[in-house]
Amino acid sequence: NTKELSVDHRLTQVCELLMENIPYYNWVGFYFKNGDKEELKLRSFAGEPTDHEIIPFGKGICGQVAVSNENFVVPDVKAQNNYIACSIHVKAEIVVPLFVNGENIGQIDIDSHTPDPFSKEDELFLEFVNEKVAEILEQ
Ligand code: SME
């Protein structure tokens, strides 16, 4: 429907804005819980297309955040055993859950080609971005 399309478009714009303005954000995407299924589905992104459009809960960094409800900062992806590689260029990743009415409904996922680039500032900034996105979703 038209409303979902315009939300998708706005989410894509958010991804593009972040990727174009923050040099160490090399892939930006939003995953959402896929209906009643125990999995995440990619809804919008900027950067190279990924094969991982569906991620089961518990799998990879994203799947772990779907169940932990907590930010996950990965300074070095090689040091993670529960990690799903999307590109050989990726060195680090950050995933911040997206809450609507206190419920974890999805997440923003960012990959970086720079080692250990993410600070507390990124976490706070991405929490703020997700609060704004939650407002878009509630409209
Ligand atoms: N690396 C993620 C998978 C998604 S890609 O980064 C786009 C993970 O381990 O969950």
Side-chain angles (χ1 to χ4, degrees):
N1 73 34
T2 319
K3 195 170 153 190
E4 271 179 31
L5 279 177
S6 83
V7 170
D8 286 352
H9 180 67
R10 291 176 74 184
L11 290 175
T12 303
Q13 286 180 317
V14 172
C15 294
E16 285 170 352
L17 191 73
L18 293 178
M19 207 187 88
E20 282 160 17
N21 286 282
I22 304 172
Y24 57 93
Y25 287 11
N26 301 115
W27 187 93
V28 181
F30 286 100
Y31 284 92
F32 286 92
K33 293 190 174 175
N34 192 11
D36 293 336
K37 296 181 190 153
E38 300 274 295
E39 65 184 29
L40 295 162
K41 187 176 183 207
L42 185 63
R43 182 159 175 188
S44 305
F45 70 95
E48 289 293 308
T50 172
D51 287 339
H52 303 286
E53 291 190 10
I54 300 282
I55 299 177
F57 287 4
K59 301 281 182 208
I61 308 305
C62 296
Q64 292 177 77
V65 170
V67 293
S68 74
N69 307 321
E70 283 173 15
N71 297 349
F72 199 153
V73 180
V74 181
D76 173 10
V77 294
K78 286 206 165 63
Q80 294 292 320
N81 45 31
N82 189 358
Y83 167 72
I84 300 165
C86 284
S87 149
I88 52 159
H89 304 293
V90 175
K91 299 276 196 300
E93 178 163 2
I94 183 170
V95 179
V96 173
L98 196 162
F99 297 98
V100 170
N101 300 321
E103 190 191 345
N104 176 2
I105 63 148
Q107 53 192 235
I108 190 167
D109 174 22
I110 296 171
D111 286 338
S112 182
H113 299 170
T114 304
D116 195 8
F118 302 115
S119 68
K120 194 72 201 168
E121 256 189 289
D122 294 280
E123 288 189 64
L124 293 172
F125 171 60
L126 295 170
E127 286 168 12
F128 171 80
V129 169
N130 278 356
E131 281 165 27
K132 295 289 146 197
V133 169
E135 288 170 22
I136 296 175
L137 296 170
E138 279 171 330
Q139 276 166 18

